Amino acid sequence: MEKRIRVLVAKPGLDGHDRGAKVVARALRDAGFEVIYTGLRQTPEQITEAALQEDVNVVAMSLLSGAHNTLFPKVVNMVRDKGMKDVLIIGGGVIPDADIPGLKEAGVSAVFTPGTPTASIIEFIKSNVK
Amino acid sequence: MDIVAELLAGSRLALSRAITAVENEYDEATAIMQKLYPHTGRAHVIGITGPPGAGKSTLTDKLAKVYRRQGKTIGIVAVDPTSPFSGGAILGDRIRMNELTLDEGVFIRSMGTRGSLGGLSRKTADAVKILDAFGKDIIFIETVGVGQSEVDIIKAADTTVVVLVPGLGDDIQAIKAGILEIGDVFAINKADREGAERLKAELDMMLDLDQVKTDWRPPIKQTVASQGTGIEELIATIDSHIDYLGTSGELARRRTARTRSELIALLEEYIHRRVLGRVTESGQLDQLVAKIEKRDRDPYSVVSELLNAFLK
């Protein structure tokens, strides 16, 4: 058996900056994960469909535009509706601390704000992935 | 309902999970392939290979869209290299195919090479079979033909398209063995760049020198995939290759050769796994390595003893 953790790294919504997402993608690659990178400006529908086709263990979204309260929960619901109950969903980017409890309630397992060492993201995925 | 029944009934999640089972060598993988095998052999498999940056994903995206307009369903297996150091990989070909993601008639799966040498693993071939059993009409395998020797794709594809770009290497590259020998169709992509005509002339020369004369002389098409230029012509060429394969009997020959090489590869893998498994589990392997290192034994007689013991 040769299981590799597969992570979808996606940038939802209208946001033209993906340097952070690329840094995270590279760190995950170096941690031995398979990272499927979808690029910028993805709709929740596209993210969900890519997660399904790629059968990922983790959906990691990064958002800097402020639309996280709408888009993150939307992806959580769509992914669950497609029958992917075990997929770990995490978020990151410019997200005010005040919004984090609400996102967690909506099913986002963890939120990583700027300055988080990539090692903590890797650690979180390793200990929480099913 | 089990995964195979769900897959055959059209569940995309079951399709996705079946590929994972094969890729991760889950216990149920063999049973899945056993049940799906009778449903395979219907799709036409198109290999897309060439050096990094040649525009293979963009070209695949455009070709898939034309086939979709013709009403055909599409599977795409996009292979990217796995890091030999971490075992991780960045699978980034979907970026070029985002518009296809929401088309229900298209299913794209990215795979890491995970240590296989020729750029393709048996698991890639199994993923193609799973898409075939699911009912896809055309299946693309897109893989990096990095150096000159990653030519496994020819064993898995019915039609191999080699994608090249102007400006890489000198004219000796065109007569080396390897990736250039496996093309059924050549696409010179980014043909709006300087050097496209020269590259075509060099390829023509190489193809004219080919000693193995068949009725199919690989055509060379120029494309600018990013702008959609030359795509219809390339499709027409691929389609005429599909016709040629059928009328000449070449398709039957290729598929027989593929069935044979797949059977041999599977046999090798199972023998390898069982013999090595037994030797490793018994702790024999470490002892033998130590003895060989001290020159008390030699590896050649050890191997022949192990095989004799196993096969008797």
Side-chain angles (χ1 to χ4, degrees):
Chain A
M1 208 158 101
E2 212 195 321
K3 189 173 161 62
R4 295 267 157 86
I5 296 174
R6 285 165 71 85
V7 186
L8 188 80
V9 172
K11 293 281 302 176
L14 298 172
D15 163 3
H17 300 274
D18 65 350
R19 241 189 101 142
K22 282 178 180 154
V23 168
V24 170
R26 170 65 198 265
L28 297 179
R29 185 204 91 174
D30 290 342
F33 300 167
E34 284 183 347
V35 181
I36 294 102
Y37 186 52
T38 63
L40 293 162
R41 296 184 194 88
Q42 299 296 293
T43 63
E45 287 81 3
Q46 283 176 311
I47 294 171
T48 305
E49 189 55 36
L52 177 124
Q53 293 179 9
E54 299 291 352
D55 197 13
V56 291
N57 310 100
V58 184
V59 173
M61 289 176 284
S62 153
L63 196 56
L64 310 174
S65 71
H68 48 269
N69 284 333
T70 325
L71 293 175
F72 285 4
K74 204 168 172 193
V75 170
V76 174
N77 292 333
M78 294 183 83
V79 165
R80 301 293 179 233
D81 283 351
K82 289 269 186 180
M84 292 175 278
K85 307 291 179 203
D86 287 349
V87 173
L88 188 67
I89 300 178
I90 59 178
V94 184
I95 290 162
D97 287 344
D99 290 347
I100 294 177
L103 290 172
K104 287 198 170 165
E105 208 162 295
V108 181
S109 298
V111 176
F112 301 96
T113 48
T116 310
T118 51
S120 3
I121 304 175
I122 292 160
E123 201 36 58
F124 183 84
I125 291 176
K126 279 186 178 161
S127 11
N128 289 280
V129 81
K130 292 192 183 81
Chain B
M1 273 236 287
D2 69 312
I3 192 168
V4 171
E6 283 182 43
L7 185 155
L8 294 174
S11 159
R12 299 153 69 80
L13 187 60
L15 166 60
S16 190
R17 297 270 151 99
I19 297 175
T20 306
V22 162
E23 197 174 25
N24 288 346
E25 296 175 2
Y26 290 159
D27 293 338
E28 66 267 30
T30 305
I32 291 173
M33 291 313 298
Q34 283 167 346
K35 287 185 214 151
L36 288 181
Y37 195 82
H39 301 274
T40 62
R42 213 182 51 86
H44 192 82
V45 184
I46 302 175
I48 307 276
T49 190
K56 297 180 292 296
S57 305
T58 310
L59 201 61
T60 305
D61 175 69
K62 298 287 194 269
L63 293 172
K65 280 176 185 155
V66 174
Y67 278 124
R68 282 300 290 144
R69 283 201 291 278
Q70 298 175 1
K72 297 190 169 96
T73 57
I74 307 287
I76 299 172
V77 181
V79 184
D80 266 327
T82 293
S83 159
F85 303 108
S86 70
I90 300 272
L91 312 175
D93 290 335
R94 294 191 76 95
I95 295 181
R96 256 65 83 168
M97 306 178 189
N98 273 327
E99 288 170 32
L100 296 175
T101 299
L102 292 179
D103 181 343
E104 288 247 345
V106 180
F107 192 99
I108 309 169
R109 182 61 172 251
S110 313
M111 292 179 99
T113 48
R114 297 198 186 179
S116 70
L117 284 174
L120 274 195
S121 61
R122 183 175 62 74
K123 293 166 187 176
T124 317
D126 282 350
V128 170
K129 288 198 189 78
I130 294 170
L131 287 162
D132 186 352
F134 185 76
K136 295 300 185 195
D137 300 317
I138 306 270
I139 298 165
F140 291 96
I141 308 174
E142 187 209 317
T143 185
V144 187
V146 186
Q148 282 128 354
S149 57
E150 287 81 355
V151 294
D152 270 2
I153 197 163
I154 196 179
K155 291 188 205 147
D158 298 318
T159 299
T160 300
V161 180
V162 173
V163 186
L164 299 167
V165 280
L168 291 181
D170 57 22
D171 49 5
I172 195 72
Q173 301 299 340
I175 55 171
K176 283 189 184 173
I179 194 168
L180 292 184
E181 283 179 293
I182 65 171
D184 297 308
V185 173
F186 287 90
I188 298 180
N189 194 32
K190 305 187 185 179
D192 51 348
R193 289 189 182 178
E194 198 189 321
E197 287 306 322
R198 211 185 118 199
L199 177 56
K200 182 170 186 306
E202 283 161 7
L203 275 176
D204 271 325
M205 188 199 78
M206 178 201 82
L207 294 168
D208 290 337
L209 287 173
D210 202 342
Q211 295 298 312
V212 192
K213 292 285 175 217
T214 63
D215 295 335
W216 181 262
R217 197 274 202 189
I220 304 166
K221 294 288 154 189
Q222 300 201 351
T223 56
V224 185
S226 59
Q227 291 163 31
T229 312
I231 302 301
E232 301 279 350
E233 292 85 344
L234 183 58
I235 291 260
T237 309
I238 293 171
D239 287 346
S240 62
H241 185 251
I242 294 176
D243 287 343
Y244 161 76
L245 287 175
T247 52
S248 64
E250 178 65 15
L251 187 65
R253 276 193 292 278
R254 284 189 183 194
R255 291 201 167 169
T256 305
R258 184 190 309 168
T259 305
R260 182 189 301 270
S261 73
E262 281 178 353
L263 180 62
I264 293 171
L266 201 59
L267 195 58
E268 281 174 353
E269 192 184 308
Y270 278 48
I271 293 172
H272 174 264
R273 206 187 287 164
R274 289 189 55 183
V275 174
L276 197 65
R278 192 193 273 191
V279 178
T280 315
E281 278 159 29
S282 61
Q284 235 182 324
L285 188 68
D286 290 338
Q287 298 166 19
L288 289 168
V289 169
K291 281 182 189 162
I292 294 168
E293 249 193 321
K294 279 189 279 176
R295 303 298 189 272
D296 288 345
R297 299 295 317 274
D298 72 90
Y300 312 96
S301 7
V302 166
V303 164
S304 108
E305 273 169 36
L306 285 174
L307 282 181
N308 285 338
F310 194 80
L311 294 173
K312 76 161 184 276

mmCIF file of all heavy atoms in Angstrom, chain A residues 113-130:
data_model
loop_
_atom_site.group_PDB
_atom_site.id
_atom_site.type_symbol
_atom_site.label_atom_id
_atom_site.label_comp_id
_atom_site.label_asym_id
_atom_site.label_seq_id
_atom_site.Cartn_x
_atom_site.Cartn_y
_atom_site.Cartn_z
ATOM 1 N N THR A 113 -3.757 32.047 9.443
ATOM 2 C CA THR A 113 -3.635 33.453 9.045
ATOM 3 C C THR A 113 -2.169 33.768 8.706
ATOM 4 O O THR A 113 -1.277 32.977 8.984
ATOM 5 C CB THR A 113 -4.153 34.356 10.186
ATOM 6 O OG1 THR A 113 -3.560 33.922 11.405
ATOM 7 C CG2 THR A 113 -5.662 34.254 10.308
ATOM 8 N N PRO A 114 -1.918 34.937 8.090
ATOM 9 C CA PRO A 114 -0.544 35.265 7.681
ATOM 10 C C PRO A 114 0.456 35.137 8.831
ATOM 11 O O PRO A 114 0.143 35.474 9.971
ATOM 12 C CB PRO A 114 -0.662 36.722 7.225
ATOM 13 C CG PRO A 114 -2.066 36.865 6.785
ATOM 14 C CD PRO A 114 -2.869 35.970 7.662
ATOM 15 N N GLY A 115 1.630 34.638 8.534
ATOM 16 C CA GLY A 115 2.657 34.472 9.547
ATOM 17 C C GLY A 115 2.709 33.055 10.100
ATOM 18 O O GLY A 115 3.653 32.690 10.798
ATOM 19 N N THR A 116 1.701 32.223 9.797
ATOM 20 C CA THR A 116 1.716 30.832 10.255
ATOM 21 C C THR A 116 2.887 30.097 9.605
ATOM 22 O O THR A 116 3.024 30.139 8.381
ATOM 23 C CB THR A 116 0.423 30.103 9.825
ATOM 24 O OG1 THR A 116 -0.701 30.899 10.189
ATOM 25 C CG2 THR A 116 0.324 28.735 10.455
ATOM 26 N N PRO A 117 3.737 29.433 10.382
ATOM 27 C CA PRO A 117 4.794 28.637 9.741
ATOM 28 C C PRO A 117 4.159 27.477 8.967
ATOM 29 O O PRO A 117 3.184 26.897 9.441
ATOM 30 C CB PRO A 117 5.610 28.094 10.924
ATOM 31 C CG PRO A 117 5.113 28.811 12.136
ATOM 32 C CD PRO A 117 3.758 29.331 11.834
ATOM 33 N N THR A 118 4.708 27.183 7.780
ATOM 34 C CA THR A 118 4.120 26.107 6.984
ATOM 35 C C THR A 118 4.152 24.782 7.747
ATOM 36 O O THR A 118 3.300 23.925 7.545
ATOM 37 C CB THR A 118 4.847 25.954 5.637
ATOM 38 O OG1 THR A 118 6.250 25.869 5.880
ATOM 39 C CG2 THR A 118 4.561 27.120 4.709
ATOM 40 N N ALA A 119 5.130 24.647 8.662
ATOM 41 C CA ALA A 119 5.229 23.405 9.443
ATOM 42 C C ALA A 119 3.958 23.149 10.254
ATOM 43 O O ALA A 119 3.554 21.990 10.425
ATOM 44 C CB ALA A 119 6.444 23.461 10.362
ATOM 45 N N SER A 120 3.302 24.228 10.735
ATOM 46 C CA SER A 120 2.089 23.971 11.531
ATOM 47 C C SER A 120 0.936 23.498 10.642
ATOM 48 O O SER A 120 0.096 22.702 11.077
ATOM 49 C CB SER A 120 1.621 25.191 12.335
ATOM 50 O OG SER A 120 2.399 26.311 12.105
ATOM 51 N N ILE A 121 0.912 23.967 9.397
ATOM 52 C CA ILE A 121 -0.130 23.488 8.474
ATOM 53 C C ILE A 121 0.087 22.000 8.201
ATOM 54 O O ILE A 121 -0.846 21.199 8.247
ATOM 55 C CB ILE A 121 -0.091 24.284 7.147
ATOM 56 C CG1 ILE A 121 -0.228 25.791 7.426
ATOM 57 C CG2 ILE A 121 -1.171 23.800 6.190
ATOM 58 C CD1 ILE A 121 -0.072 26.674 6.200
ATOM 59 N N ILE A 122 1.348 21.636 7.936
ATOM 60 C CA ILE A 122 1.683 20.236 7.650
ATOM 61 C C ILE A 122 1.319 19.350 8.842
ATOM 62 O O ILE A 122 0.697 18.295 8.689
ATOM 63 C CB ILE A 122 3.188 20.115 7.310
ATOM 64 C CG1 ILE A 122 3.456 20.799 5.963
ATOM 65 C CG2 ILE A 122 3.650 18.670 7.305
ATOM 66 C CD1 ILE A 122 4.900 21.179 5.727
ATOM 67 N N GLU A 123 1.704 19.825 10.034
ATOM 68 C CA GLU A 123 1.417 19.074 11.256
ATOM 69 C C GLU A 123 -0.091 18.886 11.422
ATOM 70 O O GLU A 123 -0.569 17.790 11.718
ATOM 71 C CB GLU A 123 2.005 19.833 12.474
ATOM 72 C CG GLU A 123 2.225 18.992 13.696
ATOM 73 C CD GLU A 123 2.690 17.562 13.370
ATOM 74 O OE1 GLU A 123 3.743 17.364 12.698
ATOM 75 O OE2 GLU A 123 1.967 16.633 13.764
ATOM 76 N N PHE A 124 -0.843 19.961 11.200
ATOM 77 C CA PHE A 124 -2.290 19.877 11.352
ATOM 78 C C PHE A 124 -2.886 18.850 10.384
ATOM 79 O O PHE A 124 -3.714 18.022 10.765
ATOM 80 C CB PHE A 124 -2.955 21.248 11.121
ATOM 81 C CG PHE A 124 -4.439 21.214 11.342
ATOM 82 C CD1 PHE A 124 -4.980 21.350 12.616
ATOM 83 C CD2 PHE A 124 -5.311 20.990 10.263
ATOM 84 C CE1 PHE A 124 -6.350 21.280 12.818
ATOM 85 C CE2 PHE A 124 -6.685 20.918 10.465
ATOM 86 C CZ PHE A 124 -7.208 21.069 11.741
ATOM 87 N N ILE A 125 -2.432 18.898 9.141
ATOM 88 C CA ILE A 125 -2.971 17.948 8.149
ATOM 89 C C ILE A 125 -2.633 16.521 8.561
ATOM 90 O O ILE A 125 -3.494 15.645 8.577
ATOM 91 C CB ILE A 125 -2.421 18.265 6.737
ATOM 92 C CG1 ILE A 125 -3.007 19.592 6.246
ATOM 93 C CG2 ILE A 125 -2.746 17.143 5.759
ATOM 94 C CD1 ILE A 125 -2.461 20.068 4.903
ATOM 95 N N LYS A 126 -1.361 16.311 8.939
ATOM 96 C CA LYS A 126 -0.952 14.944 9.286
ATOM 97 C C LYS A 126 -1.761 14.393 10.449
ATOM 98 O O LYS A 126 -2.118 13.216 10.464
ATOM 99 C CB LYS A 126 0.546 14.909 9.616
ATOM 100 C CG LYS A 126 1.413 14.870 8.373
ATOM 101 C CD LYS A 126 2.875 14.690 8.732
ATOM 102 C CE LYS A 126 3.733 14.596 7.483
ATOM 103 N NZ LYS A 126 5.148 14.866 7.763
ATOM 104 N N SER A 127 -2.051 15.239 11.440
ATOM 105 C CA SER A 127 -2.760 14.689 12.602
ATOM 106 C C SER A 127 -4.273 14.639 12.421
ATOM 107 O O SER A 127 -4.941 13.977 13.195
ATOM 108 C CB SER A 127 -2.418 15.431 13.898
ATOM 109 O OG SER A 127 -1.721 16.599 13.670
ATOM 110 N N ASN A 128 -4.805 15.315 11.411
ATOM 111 C CA ASN A 128 -6.259 15.332 11.289
ATOM 112 C C ASN A 128 -6.823 14.645 10.061
ATOM 113 O O ASN A 128 -8.030 14.453 9.970
ATOM 114 C CB ASN A 128 -6.766 16.779 11.319
ATOM 115 C CG ASN A 128 -6.625 17.391 12.698
ATOM 116 O OD1 ASN A 128 -7.434 17.148 13.572
ATOM 117 N ND2 ASN A 128 -5.558 18.143 12.891
ATOM 118 N N VAL A 129 -5.966 14.282 9.123
ATOM 119 C CA VAL A 129 -6.479 13.678 7.900
ATOM 120 C C VAL A 129 -6.963 12.258 8.183
ATOM 121 O O VAL A 129 -6.400 11.567 9.029
ATOM 122 C CB VAL A 129 -5.413 13.703 6.791
ATOM 123 C CG1 VAL A 129 -4.429 12.572 6.932
ATOM 124 C CG2 VAL A 129 -6.048 13.711 5.425
ATOM 125 N N LYS A 130 -8.053 11.875 7.503
ATOM 126 C CA LYS A 130 -8.617 10.539 7.763
ATOM 127 C C LYS A 130 -8.166 9.559 6.697
ATOM 128 O O LYS A 130 -7.985 9.923 5.569
ATOM 129 C CB LYS A 130 -10.133 10.611 7.794
ATOM 130 C CG LYS A 130 -10.602 11.393 8.984
ATOM 131 C CD LYS A 130 -12.110 11.256 9.220
ATOM 132 C CE LYS A 130 -12.560 12.103 10.378
ATOM 133 N NZ LYS A 130 -12.748 13.526 10.022
#
